[in-house]
Amino acid sequence: MRPCSWLFSKAQYLSLKFPSTFLIQQVRKPLGPSLRRPFEWSRRNYASPPRTISELEKRISQIPIERFRNFCIVAHVDHGKSTLSDRLLEITGTIEPGGKKQFLDKLDVERERGITVKAQTCSMIYKYQGDDYLLHLVDTPGHVDFRAEVSRSYASCGGAILLVDASQGVQAQTVANFYLAFSQGLELLPVVNKVDLPSADAPRALEQVRSTFELDIENAVLVSAKTGLNVEAILPAVIKKIPAPIGDHLKPLRLLLVDSWYSTYKGVILLVRIFDGEIKAGDHVTSFATGLRYHVGEVGIMYPDQTPQTRLRAGQLGYIHFNPGMKKSQEAKVGDTYTTVGSEKLVEPLPGFEEPKSMVFVAAFPLDQSEYGHLEDSINQIVLNDRSVTLHKEYSEALGAGWRLGFLGTLHCSVFEDRLRQEHGASIIITPPTVPFMVKWADGTDEIIRNPADFPDQDQISKVVELREPYVSTTITLPEEYLGKVIELCEGNRGQQKELQFFTATQVILKYDLPLAQLVDDFFGKLKGLTKGYASLDYEEADWRPSSIIKLQLLVNRIPVDAVARVVHTSQAERLGRQWVTKFKEHVDRQMFEVIIQATAGKRILARETIKPFRKDVLAKLHASDVSRRRKLLERQKDGRKKLKAVGNVTIDNKAFQAFLAK
């Protein structure tokens, strides 16, 4: 009898009956030659599939490193950097003329406020005297709060365009940017913008550049970025003035991490500057800072958006992302050096960047505690793209769970809040900005306090030897006619004058040491108001100095409201206390009992306001009664109020806090 053809073999039977056991046994068997090849293929799956070389890449590959130019545009805020970037992109054909304005400003808040918050890069190809040049442009922020972005941009560039407004002249951040570039040995090309304005005075601006920075103004270019006047003369001047990057594509890979941002689909994307060697998809690289290893998934340039390339070589700026992607933004340490695995001993790591320190601290709470999860996700998403924000969880008896956030300055804080509201629709309560303080204890230890709730109370104050607060060195540039008002403002904010210098007949540089607490209390806004917007401000950290400071608290029926506690100088405590109780009274609802609002500093009651209770007319039913009967009813009502006050709690709505904390 012939066996049936459909009968199972023993191995087939076992695989059907015990599939997991059979699979394990098969995996444990040594692999034959025919089975090894698929595993060799799987290694290549880390990289993107092979790509056809585009015409753009063929054109770039024929440009030697001697015809590369890496440069950035630096200037004071609102001097026209982003507008000039648009004109340069149009001249080189990178974007279409007449398109979107401020093309490199990606964030909504940047377009709304007309400022640059995040440094952006773009590659351009420019034909000069018959040869192609590869230009890498970096548009940097102008405000002092984002100085770390400027510092990183300098590290990736060989020179910079120093842009000066023809009507405003040299201002504080112009001076700060010059000294930062000078310390890094960068070549500077002076460019005077807005020469088409009726108030423009280009000769005065050029003379300020020559006398302040000792730069050669014969090579300076006078332009109007808005109308495009003479902008075409900038790029030839850049090619002549700014040197080509130095590097060798035959050496082992050495690249610098300049910036990073987070993509939901690709993970962390790195903006890098290649100093030596080359990098392509599929390479296995390692970080000097973390020691972690990654497989490169894609490389490319910003032209003007992410444009994939086969490889990046020495001298170029571009982006890379890994496959599998880098999921934690904390792994991307700005200033880190990467090289290929196995070349660690052959490559010298590049000097990194100094991490920016938070100077302003606020507490953030959801308007409704049911939105805590949504707000947490929103904050984490923004922090992924802005690692200069420090984040710690916090709890308030009045407002519930929240966070204490640290920022580089008040504008940085304001931009972060706007992004939360616009991009994520978050409803939040932000407390007024505070700064850290230092406590010297009797046992010889020092402690830095960032939260007013941790300030030593009356039981601990006897153990404190000294209290210190941070000071900053400020540089104020202003027209001469506002000098008296600005000095009065600085002196009123406990400033100490260090230097007064006339660098032209009409322009003054004023240097003051100011307490950081005064600077974050809208000092810049007051300065702009006094000088009609003509003054500019730059600052840097100075030191910790002894100070007479105290914690100012608000009490509601003798219960402290920790959400509005603040550490202030003793000279300001009484004035702020009176403002607080008057303003808080407007936002607290009347109760069935008396509500007492007090401002205290230490053991002193500085100010008090009383909210009268709702009162029932207990005498309404009496007509011709005796006076003793009336007095008896009133005394009984008073006793009832005392009992109600003893057991009653004042519930303060979150909207009351929001209204009180709003300026």
Side-chain angles (χ1 to χ4, degrees), residues 138-159:
V138 183
D139 182 22
T140 61
H143 198 276
V144 63
D145 284 7
F146 308 104
R147 185 191 296 168
E149 297 280 333
V150 181
S151 176
R152 290 202 296 266
S153 302
Y154 280 160
S156 63
C157 295

Side-chain angles (χ1 to χ4, degrees), residues 145 359-362 409-411 413 431-435 437 469-470 472 489 492-494 514-528 537 539 552 566-569 571-573 575-576 579-580 583 661-663:
D145 284 7
M359 305 283 280
V360 174
F361 296 87
V362 301
T410 48
L411 179 65
C413 173
T431 64
T434 61
V435 299
F437 296 92
E469 65 175 330
V472 291
L489 173 68
N493 283 274
R494 301 189 286 127
L514 287 173
L516 181 58
Q518 303 298 131
L519 187 72
V520 303
D521 189 20
D522 198 27
F523 179 84
F524 190 54
K526 297 171 186 174
L527 179 67
K528 284 288 188 183
L537 173 71
Y539 66 87
L552 183 63
R566 192 171 165 189
V567 179
V568 299
H569 194 265
S571 63
Q572 301 173 316
R575 176 181 59 84
L576 283 174
Q579 291 178 1
W580 280 14
K583 189 175 182 181
L661 295 173
K663 290 185 178 180

Side-chain angles (χ1 to χ4, degrees), residues 147 183 246 257 268 319 391 426 443-444 472 510 584 589:
R147 185 191 296 168
S183 65
I246 299 173
L257 174 54
V268 180
Y319 72 89
L391 181 66
D443 59 3
V472 291
L510 189 61
F584 203 69
D589 296 331

Side-chain angles (χ1 to χ4, degrees), residues 144-304:
V144 63
D145 284 7
F146 308 104
R147 185 191 296 168
E149 297 280 333
V150 181
S151 176
R152 290 202 296 266
S153 302
Y154 280 160
S156 63
C157 295
I161 293 176
L162 188 67
L163 196 64
V164 179
D165 190 329
S167 59
Q168 301 282 352
V170 172
Q171 294 190 276
Q173 194 59 27
T174 316
V175 178
N177 286 332
F178 167 79
Y179 285 119
L180 191 61
F182 185 76
S183 65
Q184 298 194 23
L186 298 187
E187 287 288 340
L188 291 174
L189 173 65
V191 174
V192 178
N193 190 23
K194 303 185 181 180
V195 296
D196 60 317
L197 293 179
S199 59
D201 190 350
R204 178 178 66 93
L206 286 173
E207 178 58 29
Q208 289 179 4
V209 169
R210 188 195 61 78
S211 60
T212 308
F213 308 133
E214 297 181 357
L215 291 177
D216 184 7
I217 59 174
E218 291 183 3
N219 298 322
V221 185
L222 307 182
V223 302
S224 170
K226 186 175 181 179
T227 63
L229 175 67
N230 203 33
V231 175
E232 66 277 359
I234 292 179
L235 292 181
V238 166
I239 292 172
K240 295 176 183 176
K241 181 79 173 176
I242 295 176
I246 299 173
D248 187 351
H249 70 279
L250 299 177
K251 288 184 178 180
L253 174 68
R254 184 170 66 148
L255 65 84
L256 177 71
L257 174 54
V258 179
D259 199 1
S260 67
W261 60 93
Y262 190 82
S263 167
T264 308
Y265 304 104
K266 298 178 180 179
V268 180
I269 300 176
L270 312 181
L271 180 66
V272 297
R273 156 80 154 85
I274 315 295
F275 279 84
D276 287 312
E278 60 181 25
I279 187 171
K280 59 185 182 301
D283 284 354
H284 197 190
V285 299
T286 182
S287 160
F288 274 91
T290 64
L292 298 174
R293 298 180 175 186
Y294 307 94
H295 288 273
V296 179
E298 182 180 286
V299 301
I301 59 174
M302 307 298 291
Y303 186 80

